[in-house]
Amino acid sequence: TSITPRLQVLDVKKIVTGTSGERFRLVLSDGQYYVQGMLATQCTDLVNSGQLKKYTIIHLKEFVCNNISGKKICVVIQCDVIQQLNQGIGKPQNALTANSNNSMSPNRNNANQNQNQMQRQRPPQQNNRPAPPQNQQPFHQRNNNNYNNSNRNQGGNGGQGGGQGQGMDNIQPVSSLNPYQNSWKIRVRCTMKDNMRHYSNQKGDGKFFGVDLLDRNGTEIRAVAFNEAADKFYSIFEKNNVYLISKGQVRLARKGYSHIKNDYSITLNEHSEVIPVNDNNNDIEQQKYRFIKIDQISQIEPKSFVDVIGVVVDVGDITQIMSNRTQNQMKKRNLKIADQTAKIDVTLWNKDAEQWTEDQLKNAIIALKGCK
């Protein structure tokens, strides 16, 4: 059964770090016990808008409990605000230090009363649906039961030693990844692979490449590898192939550097595992698009990423320019595409500019992902 508890927020504290930006620390209570919590970045708008504050009753839809610096922390990934109260419910004790012998009998009646009070905050059920069950599993196990059963049935060659169905246990959806997990494993398709890039800064020279990854639920995430890890994994990743990936570091995404709609990204290191697997069921899409109409692009914030689709109505010649930043020659081709709303100019660079001939492009319907 799923664990979707209703808890009261006893305290909300804003914390700001140089790497993670604005975050909110919580104290969560069921009326009998309380635990420390952290609000995921995608939920911070609930606090900033005033919906979630001290004494609010919330319904946890997705969360994960992890050990952070030796402390058990409940990371709230998704929640609904139920009701705002003016005081705390019950007299909760610290769940990590409460004496289990003292909490068995005297507090049982109080616990039942507190749970009843929590239930009374629940909004009316739609269509007479029963309330979510309160006998519960950890989030990282609950949603993965069906997910793992489906993946396990697919079997597949592990690619490094192989074996039917090897490594298909404990796979979780990409949407559940967060920086507070100690271990995780995802099954994803590589929808885009960058060329290896080189850089030089005060720390020295280096290289890196990135890949776009997509799981069968349609959730995307970006992964990058630097230096030794880049050498290790560059030849393994191929566009359209499916992989089991684990032991990477989940970090907050740098939004201006990627078109992927995810708060987090993955950094692969020398200890990470990337294992090619068979795509027998073809259950992961080849690509994920979020198309907008061409006439709506003018309303988008500058330097944002968009996906568009249209008919090529004009094709320019391939030309070369010198990059001011790298002093390297770059090839480009200008196109004009149209949909039922408007026309717009598009520039293809380097490999994309050379990939198709003018005859192949003219009057073709093309889909463009991550245009800026």
Side-chain angles (χ1 to χ4, degrees), residues 109-289:
N109 289 335
N110 289 337
N112 291 334
Q113 293 173 6
N114 293 332
Q115 284 297 321
N116 290 337
Q117 189 170 354
M118 292 284 188
Q119 299 297 327
R120 287 197 293 273
Q121 315 307 326
R122 183 178 300 159
Q125 297 293 321
Q126 300 293 326
N127 301 325
N128 296 320
R129 290 179 296 180
Q134 298 300 311
N135 295 325
Q136 303 157 344
Q137 280 179 286
F139 167 73
H140 65 277
Q141 296 175 9
R142 67 182 177 91
N143 273 351
N144 297 342
N145 290 339
N146 293 334
Y147 202 87
N148 284 327
N149 289 338
S150 175
N151 284 318
R152 194 179 298 114
N153 291 336
Q154 294 171 35
N157 190 331
Q160 296 181 2
Q164 189 73 10
Q166 180 188 13
M168 290 295 178
D169 291 331
N170 301 320
I171 295 173
Q172 66 187 76
V174 167
S175 62
S176 70
L177 293 180
N178 66 82
Y180 305 102
Q181 291 172 295
N182 296 321
S183 63
W184 49 265
K185 183 191 295 184
I186 56 174
R187 177 178 170 271
V188 289
R189 184 185 302 279
C190 174
T191 58
M192 182 62 67
K193 175 185 175 182
D194 296 341
N195 293 326
M196 187 76 76
R197 300 182 184 181
H198 294 78
Y199 64 89
S200 180
N201 55 31
Q202 295 178 347
K203 296 181 180 180
D205 298 335
K207 53 188 171 181
F208 73 97
F209 80 99
V211 290
D212 297 346
L213 306 173
L214 176 68
D215 74 359
R216 70 185 188 90
N217 288 346
T219 306
E220 296 178 287
I221 194 166
R222 178 78 169 168
V224 294
F226 293 86
N227 301 321
E228 291 83 1
D231 287 332
K232 178 180 179 180
F233 296 118
Y234 188 79
S235 61
I236 296 177
F237 278 109
E238 294 293 342
K239 185 179 178 181
N240 295 328
N241 287 355
V242 177
Y243 301 89
L244 289 178
I245 300 178
S246 59
K247 300 182 180 179
Q249 185 176 7
V250 180
R251 297 181 173 181
L252 284 172
R254 301 176 67 184
K255 295 298 181 67
Y257 293 85
S258 174
H259 61 274
I260 297 296
K261 305 292 185 182
N262 198 314
D263 286 335
Y264 304 115
S265 65
I266 298 171
T267 299
L268 301 173
N269 54 51
E270 62 273 19
H271 304 297
S272 300
E273 293 184 358
V274 178
I275 304 175
V277 294
N278 289 340
D279 186 23
N280 296 331
N281 283 8
N282 198 29
D283 62 330
I284 304 177
E285 296 177 272
Q286 296 293 317
Q287 186 58 273
K288 180 78 172 182
Y289 292 101

Side-chain angles (χ1 to χ4, degrees), residues 1-5 59-63 65 132-140 142:
T1 57
S2 298
I3 175 168
T4 57
H59 181 190
L60 270 60
K61 295 298 187 67
E62 294 186 13
F63 68 96
C65 291
Q134 298 300 311
N135 295 325
Q136 303 157 344
Q137 280 179 286
F139 167 73
H140 65 277
R142 67 182 177 91

